[in-house]
Amino acid sequence: MAQVTLKGNPVQVNGQLPQAGSKAPAFSLVAGNLSDVSLKDFAGKRKVLNIFPSVDTPTCATSVRKFNAQANDLDNTVVLCISADLPFAQARFCGAEGLENVQNLSTLRGAEFIENYGVAIADGPLKGLTARAVVVLDENDTVLHSELVKEIAEEPNYEAALAALK
């Protein structure tokens, strides 16, 4: 169990984020068309998993925008924005913002992902959502970089995440 904060208040997070050098756990999440999407669907591509509580919060929205802006410069890489938002809300946000370089995935049927990736908020007002984290995977699903953001209301270290892909 890890501890992060939300506006300075302690929040427990269940599980452990995959660490650099480890194999990424398999997952199944929900795509915009309500189909199930797995890690295998991105085989052969490098992956940036941008994990956050909800796109309807300012910090989460900023992270999606920033990774969207960087995605075109990343060779053979897909940016997966993962949250508890329903696919309809994710699509509405990206459509309104004109964001086309990221792929949204919902934890709607992804309880296993939340536990296996160590991002399950266990208490506090966001209990049941995911903590803010970034996990970067190579083409073979080996973890290159991982960050569990210590303060949920703060942005991840974009530079460190993207540097892992160079």
Side-chain angles (χ1 to χ4, degrees), residues 51-103:
I51 306 163
F52 51 89
S54 173
V55 75
D56 285 326
T57 63
T59 306
C60 299
T62 297
S63 74
V64 174
R65 287 184 198 107
K66 286 192 177 182
F67 277 120
N68 180 77
Q70 297 291 327
N72 275 342
D73 298 332
L74 304 173
D75 292 332
N76 192 38
T77 304
V78 60
V79 177
L80 305 175
C81 293
I82 301 167
S83 70
D85 298 294
L86 293 177
F88 315 111
Q90 293 171 334
R92 182 185 67 243
F93 172 79
C94 285
E97 295 278 332
L99 307 179
E100 298 177 352
N101 300 325
V102 295
Q103 182 170 341

Side-chain angles (χ1 to χ4, degrees), residues 48-153:
V48 175
L49 309 182
N50 178 30
I51 306 163
F52 51 89
S54 173
V55 75
D56 285 326
T57 63
T59 306
C60 299
T62 297
S63 74
V64 174
R65 287 184 198 107
K66 286 192 177 182
F67 277 120
N68 180 77
Q70 297 291 327
N72 275 342
D73 298 332
L74 304 173
D75 292 332
N76 192 38
T77 304
V78 60
V79 177
L80 305 175
C81 293
I82 301 167
S83 70
D85 298 294
L86 293 177
F88 315 111
Q90 293 171 334
R92 182 185 67 243
F93 172 79
C94 285
E97 295 278 332
L99 307 179
E100 298 177 352
N101 300 325
V102 295
Q103 182 170 341
N104 290 299
L105 297 175
S106 174
T107 60
L108 172 64
R109 294 186 295 270
E112 187 175 271
F113 171 86
I114 295 169
E115 291 297 325
N116 290 345
Y117 276 77
V119 293
I121 295 177
D123 60 9
L126 298 182
K127 180 179 179 178
L129 298 179
T130 61
R132 183 177 315 287
V134 176
V135 180
V136 179
L137 310 176
D138 71 7
E139 298 88 342
N140 301 308
D141 301 330
T142 298
V143 177
L144 300 174
H145 167 84
S146 65
E147 175 193 12
L148 178 63
V149 179
K150 297 300 179 193
E151 168 57 55
I152 295 173

